[in-house]
Every structure is written in C-alpha cells, then in structure tokens.
Amino acid sequence: MRVNMPVTGVERVMKEGEEIISTTDLRGVMTQVNRAFVEISGFTEDELIGAPQNIVRHPDMPPAAFKDLWDTIQAGKPWVGLVKNRCKNGDHYWVEAHVTPIFQSGQITGYLSVRRRPSRDDIAAAETLYRNLREGKVKHLHPTGIRAWLQHASIKTRLLGTLAFLMAMLLAIGGMGLYSLNQTGHAVAELDHLVVAQRLVNRVRGTVADNRAQVLLALQHDPASPFVKLHDHGIETHLKAIAESREKIDQTFNDLDKLALPDDLRQKLAAIAGARKAFAEQGLAPALQALQGGRYSEAGPIALSKINPLYKDVDGTTRAFLETLQADGEALKRDSDNRYQRMIVIALTLLVLALAGALFSGVVLLRVIGRPLGRAVDVFRGISEGHYDNAVRIDHRDEIGRVLESLESMQTKLGYDVIEAKRVADANLRVRIALDNVSSNVMMADPNRNIIYMNKAVEKLFHGVEADIRKQLPAFDAGKLMGMNIDGFHKNPSHQAQLLSTFTSTYRSTVNIGGRTMTVVANPVINDKGERLGAVVEWADRTVEVAVEQAVSDLVSAAAAGD
C-alpha cells in the first residue's frame, strides 16, 4: 500500500458548502478535478490529472477502509464514508466522500467522487474506528455473523421466513389437534372395551349365580323334600338350564379374550376364569352327576361344601375385576382430562407464539420497508428542491437497500452534473461577455441555421446598413434578427443550407446585398462527440474598402491609358 509522507498533523478544514470533485478511470487514475480539490490539496491540476487517486492518501487511513471502498464501487454500488486525506505539504483534511460508479450503456466506465465537509462528531467517530482497525481491536469495518445476516437479509427472505414460521405454528396447532383427537379416540375405544368387559363379567357373575341357584332348585326335586309337589316340571329343566349356562359362560369368556384390556384387568380376568373353572369342575360337575343319578343326599352336601364356597370365590374375583375396572375407568378419565388441559395450554401457547411472531415480523418489515422508503421520499423531496447533499442512510442490503444505493448514486451524479453545468455555464458566460464586447461582428446559428446569438458589434453593423439592405430585402428588420434563419441573406438558400450543414473547416464568402459588400467567415461548431452544434459567423462591411479599391483601380487604369 502506498504511504505518503511526511505528515505535519495540521488539519485544514473545508469551507462550509464547498464540494471537492474528481473523476477517475477504472484503475483509479484521476481524469478530472475541480478547483476546490486543487486549492485544498496543494497539488496543481497538472500534478493531479493522470495521477492515481491515492496520491492524497493519508497514512492514518486503514487499508480495510479502501478495500471496502473498492469492493463496493467495483460491484456497481455507491460508497459513502469519511476519509482523511493528505495535502502536498503533509497537512490533512477530512471529507465525507460520496463515490459512485459512472455507467455508460450499462457498463462501468469510471468513478465519480464528491466530497463534502463532515461534522466534528462524525470525524471523532471515524478517528476512533480507524484507530481501532489499525490497532487490531476491530477486525471488520461492518458487522459480521448473525448480526450481519439479520441486517442484510432480503425482504424476500424475511417474508418467506415469516410465512414459514406461521405455517409451522399452524401445522403445530393442527398437529396437536389431530393428536388430541387421536388420543381421545383411543380413550373412547378403551372406555368402550371397559364398558363391554363390565357387561360381560357381570354376565359371567350372573350366570354362575344362576348355576348355583339351579342346583339348589334341583335339590328340591328330592322325593323326600316337602317342596317336590310345588314344582310343575321335572329336574331336567334345571339340568338343561345349567348345561346352557355353561355354553353361555364359555362364549362370554371368548368375547372377553377378544377385548383389548390392560394387564391388570387381564390378571383379574384370569382369576375369574380360574375360580369359574374350579366352581364348574369341583362343585358343579359332581353335583350334576349326583343329581342326574338321583343321589340327592350326595348332591346336597356338595352344594354346601363345594358350590357355595367356590361361588364365593367366583363372586369375589368378579367383584375385584369390576373394582379394578372402575379404577381404570376413573384413571382413564383423569388422563383424558389432564390431556385435554395440556392440549388447551399448548394450543394457547402456540397461538400466542404465532401472534407474537406475526406481530414481531410485521414490526420488523415495517421498519425495514416503511422507514427507509420514508427517508427516500425525504431525499427525493430534497433533490426536487435543488439539494444534492441529502443524507441517504443505507442500513440494510436488501431490496430497499439497493433502491437507496441507486438513489445515492443518482443524487451524487445529479449533484456533480449540476456543479459541472454551473462550471460550464460560468465559462460560457465569460466567453459570451467577451464576445459581447469585442469589435468583431459575430453571430452564432444552430444546426438549423437559426440565429441564436449576436454580439453588440454585429447588431450595430446591421442597424447601420438596414436601409441599404431593405433595397434588396424589403422585409429585413435589424431589430428582429434573433431567431431568424440566415438563409434569408442569400439569393440561393438551398445551396447555402447544403454548405453549412456539411462544411468542416473555415468557409469564406462575399455577399452583395443592397449595394453593400459583406464578407462572411463561418466556422463549424462541433463537440467532442463529433456532433454538429451549429456555426459561428463573422461579418465585415467592406463596401467602403471595395469602393476605394475600385477608385484606385480606375485611377491606375486611366494613368496607364495616358490620362
């Protein structure tokens, strides 16, 4: 990196409202500077033109700042920042530099720099930042990492992120709802199984009790029993009922096995099956054999010693099953209630998060869109009022940021164009004032040969010869020449028009109008692009000179003839 030395530590302060302007080519070589640049830098214009821009670089400026500048402008974006420049004698001056690419036909052809006077607060902040960069306390000129990503994320990314967040919240809420419905469905199915199991176990319990009752009723058919005459049917009725009950109980157990029951109920159900089996095999079967054989005296003791105790076992196991079933049902209800409460809390939490996220995203989008656009409107208003030094604050590198970058470039270029137009206008004014006061008779015509300028001398000339010209051109009016087409001075306007539209060098001619002999010297006006802007015409009245020349010629001829 170029190091310009020595430095004096003496600061020069730009004048209020002063602007330092320069243009460079793509390599940073200066191609144009204004007077303010020459005056404050101490270099002559010849020393600056053709020299690299870094001829005024101060050694206090960190390389990172210039790297950021070149990376930005070479990417086609404007760069704004504070720069400490060095004067030729070692003094320094601070500028707020606005650097923008110059585009022609969509291609960058150079760079334009407009520098203004910064505030003391901005200078102090820049000195601190640049010192920290030089000392390594700060690694980067701009934020990096997640902060940089958040700052420069595009509006498209932000909108898609907001949409994705809201969709995730909706999916989460919908998923929780579907999960809750699914769990509720399982709970209902489980509860249904419990209800069915309760009904079936009660059937087992009732059927076993009926078997016991049928045995006791069958004992009343003992011929020795005083109740035998009270029955209008035989013992077969009770034996048949017991046989049918056995099938009914077996089918009931088959139905119970098909139910999806928890393990604790399965264990209780196994206990019921075991008690029922013991009741059937150890109590009911021997009693039935005795009854079928008419051994009532044997069946009675079996009923008392076997059937009744075994029935109590069946009754006890079924009661334990039903109590456990009831406890499981209550637990299922509590789980359902708790799950419902959790779902409500989770759904409300997700809803609040969705609303908060939407609100946050809305506020952020308003800030990254609304505020910058509001500032852009203010800048446009300032430009419309003729101010080209409006602060364009570019906080983000999103779509709005690119609009603001373009606005910064446009404002810098417009400001330069206005200053350049004023410089050219001042130069033209000086030329016009000089032309107004020279003794030569000068007028200018546009490409269509309409008179657009006349100096005082040519106006005086045509006013003096107006009467003579009217002899040939009755409509001639010296007071109305501005805007008139110069073809009116010639007898063959088409020839003159063709000549003035094509000539590329000085053209001389003599015109005789109303007895006046006028010489015309015309030069084309062509700009640096080769475009014809018009012509400048110098008039001279040689009427007296021609008369004198003719008199001398006549005198010489007479003398030669001997007169």
Side-chain angles (χ1 to χ4, degrees), residues 517 542-554:
T517 301
R542 296 191 67 248
T543 303
V544 175
E545 295 177 16
V546 171
V548 171
E549 290 172 356
Q550 185 62 45
V552 171
S553 177
D554 292 345

Side-chain angles (χ1 to χ4, degrees), residues 93-106:
Y93 59 97
W94 282 93
V95 297
E96 181 186 87
H98 296 253
V99 187
T100 185
I102 300 173
F103 288 91
Q104 289 185 356
S105 301

Side-chain angles (χ1 to χ4, degrees), residues 198-511:
Q198 181 184 26
R199 177 170 54 83
L200 294 176
V201 168
N202 280 327
R203 181 189 298 172
V204 171
R205 184 181 184 187
T207 304
V208 170
D210 183 67
N211 284 341
R212 173 174 170 269
Q214 292 296 334
V215 170
L216 295 177
L217 291 173
L219 288 174
Q220 294 178 5
H221 287 271
D222 184 356
S225 172
F227 301 104
V228 67
K229 295 180 180 181
L230 297 177
H231 295 280
D232 56 356
H233 55 271
I235 192 174
E236 293 80 8
T237 301
H238 302 292
L239 297 179
K240 181 180 179 182
I242 292 172
E244 292 176 353
S245 297
R246 182 182 300 170
E247 296 178 0
K248 182 177 181 182
I249 292 175
D250 291 340
Q251 182 60 44
T252 302
F253 273 108
N254 289 335
D255 294 341
L256 284 168
D257 287 337
K258 296 177 182 178
L259 296 177
L261 298 176
D263 292 339
D264 57 346
L265 290 180
R266 282 289 175 191
Q267 294 174 0
K268 301 294 183 182
L269 185 60
I272 295 173
R276 182 257 176 178
K277 181 178 181 181
F279 173 81
E281 293 179 353
Q282 300 176 23
L284 191 60
L288 286 178
Q289 289 178 358
L291 289 172
Q292 289 172 350
R295 300 188 298 274
Y296 292 98
S297 58
E298 184 181 340
I302 293 175
L304 293 175
S305 62
K306 295 293 185 179
I307 291 181
N308 286 342
L310 292 173
Y311 168 74
K312 290 182 179 180
D313 291 342
V314 173
D315 186 67
T317 55
T318 54
R319 184 180 297 109
F321 178 90
L322 293 174
E323 290 174 352
T324 303
L325 185 145
Q326 182 179 0
D328 287 353
E330 292 175 352
L332 182 62
K333 181 180 182 302
R334 286 194 301 271
D335 289 344
S336 298
D337 291 341
N338 292 335
R339 183 167 54 252
Y340 172 76
Q341 296 298 329
R342 287 196 302 271
M343 292 301 105
I344 289 294
V345 172
I346 293 173
L348 289 176
T349 301
L350 292 176
L351 183 60
V352 170
L353 286 176
L355 292 175
L359 179 62
F360 175 77
S361 299
V363 171
V364 170
L365 288 174
L366 285 176
R367 291 184 62 183
V368 300
I369 298 176
R371 289 185 181 181
L373 287 180
R375 293 197 297 266
V377 170
D378 293 337
V379 173
F380 278 118
R381 185 179 295 112
I383 292 175
S384 69
E385 295 174 357
H387 304 296
Y388 301 97
D389 56 351
N390 306 283
V392 181
R393 180 179 170 185
I394 306 173
D395 297 326
H396 304 280
R397 301 298 179 185
D398 53 16
E399 293 86 344
I400 300 297
R402 290 195 288 273
V403 171
L404 294 176
E405 289 173 350
S406 299
L407 177 58
E408 168 65 27
S409 295
M410 182 190 74
Q411 177 179 241
T412 302
K413 185 65 169 60
L414 286 176
Y416 165 77
D417 290 342
V418 169
I419 295 173
E420 184 66 10
K422 184 177 183 302
R423 184 188 67 80
V424 172
D426 291 342
N428 290 338
L429 180 61
R430 290 192 293 270
V431 172
R432 177 167 183 161
I433 292 173
L435 288 175
D436 281 344
N437 294 282
V438 298
S439 58
S440 298
N441 308 304
V442 179
M443 69 168 49
M444 294 184 67
D446 63 16
N448 296 320
R449 302 175 304 286
N450 296 316
I451 299 172
I452 58 175
Y453 170 76
M454 297 172 60
N455 69 352
K456 296 177 182 178
V458 79
E459 288 181 359
K460 182 178 180 181
L461 168 67
F462 282 110
H463 277 290
V465 299
E466 181 179 29
D468 292 333
I469 293 177
R470 280 185 174 178
K471 295 176 183 178
Q472 184 174 337
L473 303 172
F476 180 80
D477 187 347
K480 298 180 179 179
L481 288 178
M482 283 295 293
M484 190 185 84
N485 196 288
I486 61 175
D487 292 347
F489 290 101
H490 305 280
K491 295 180 180 179
N492 188 0
S494 60
H495 170 73
Q496 198 67 23
Q498 177 65 23
L499 176 67
L500 293 179
S501 63
T502 58
F503 80 124
T504 57
S505 59
T506 302
Y507 169 74
R508 300 176 184 274
S509 177
T510 299
V511 181

